[in-house]
Amino acid sequence: MAEEDAERAESRGASSPSEAGPKPTHERHVPVLLDRCVNLLAPGIEAARSAGRTPVVVDCTLGMGGHSEALLERFEDVHLVGLDRDEQALALAGARLGKYAERTDLVHAVYDEIAEVVRDLGFAVVDGVLFDLGVSSLQLDERERGFAYSYDAPLDMRMDTSRGQTAADVVNSATHGELARIIRTWGEDKFAGRIASAVVRARDEQPLETTGRLVEVIRTVVPAGAARTAGHPAKRTFQALRIAVNEELDVLERALPAAMSVTSMGGRVVVMSYHSLEDKITKRFFQTGSTSSAPVGFPVELEEHKPRFRTLTKGTEKPTADEIAENPRAASAKLRAVERIMKD
């Protein structure tokens, strides 16, 4: 989920468990494009059955298990592998999917490790792969995780709180040039230079440790009028820091080819992204996989030049108005999918 979705959720005053008590997992997470994702994965599952194999689906971004639960409910023979770098999410999803424990393997891993995880579990190929990218509902709603800008919290933003640098580490140690590049490239913010300068001045007085103080610093240099067209002044900076802290785009660059490499004949890869940077990466890999590599003007398309995948979606698919009304965090979702049609 992108920061645009975070802004919509925050404007609704999403409650933290520390305020209102934890809600059941199925109430805290409404899966985006649930039916469409399950329907896109279904033919891959059928292909595995036809080949005499137990269908295997990998949910690369398990979160609180909404998509996985739907797959396990609909397909009684599916074996599901769920990956998540967030140990809290794994625990919640594990409880939610407990009745399917014999058909699940839930693994603490980043999704670019998909090939290694699949191999370690003893599977030669998988028949479906699902990515639901960005920050999860759990991470956004847990105030102490520091992903949101509408309330004060430690400046953390790690999806895996057991390791790695925090957002505070980044803003307090990066050079002005590095900060400006992060905010400009991954936040696509035209005020990146101003924000970087303000951060450097502020941290020289006192290290930036909370989301609230970072928001105050950003407000000093982003014109008030910009919010009318671009939303909350801190939105893009928070998105950029989250991407930097979790190396999200670098991970995606490794994860997509890895996922495609372990997908079976007839198997499918489905990706939901929430901002243009994720979608551009997904589009590039899917287009490359579904395009002939034969040289221009080559008289015969040799077997090795034929596309290994075919595109299942025309451009990107988006949620309907009804889905957005039910789940505002789905508003910026973009869905792409491909099917393997030839072996490598």
Side-chain angles (χ1 to χ4, degrees), residues 84 124 146 170 243 252 262 299 305 313 324 326:
D84 210 295
V170 174
I243 290 172
L252 185 60
V262 297
H305 293 150
T313 51
I324 294 170
E326 180 185 358

Side-chain angles (χ1 to χ4, degrees), residues 201-267:
R201 287 194 300 270
R203 77 188 189 192
D204 285 345
E205 298 176 6
Q206 183 180 354
L208 294 166
E209 302 290 349
T210 67
T211 57
R213 182 148 182 256
L214 179 58
V215 169
E216 290 175 3
V217 169
I218 293 169
R219 285 188 184 278
T220 65
V221 292
V222 176
R228 287 194 291 271
T229 55
H232 193 287
K235 177 181 68 175
R236 295 179 182 276
T237 297
F238 271 59
Q239 174 179 296
L241 288 173
R242 191 199 79 222
I243 290 172
V245 166
N246 297 290
E247 300 180 333
E248 292 177 41
L249 299 183
D250 290 338
V251 169
L252 185 60
E253 288 269 4
R254 297 189 293 269
L256 286 173
M260 294 167 77
S261 74
V262 297
T263 301
S264 64
M265 283 289 292

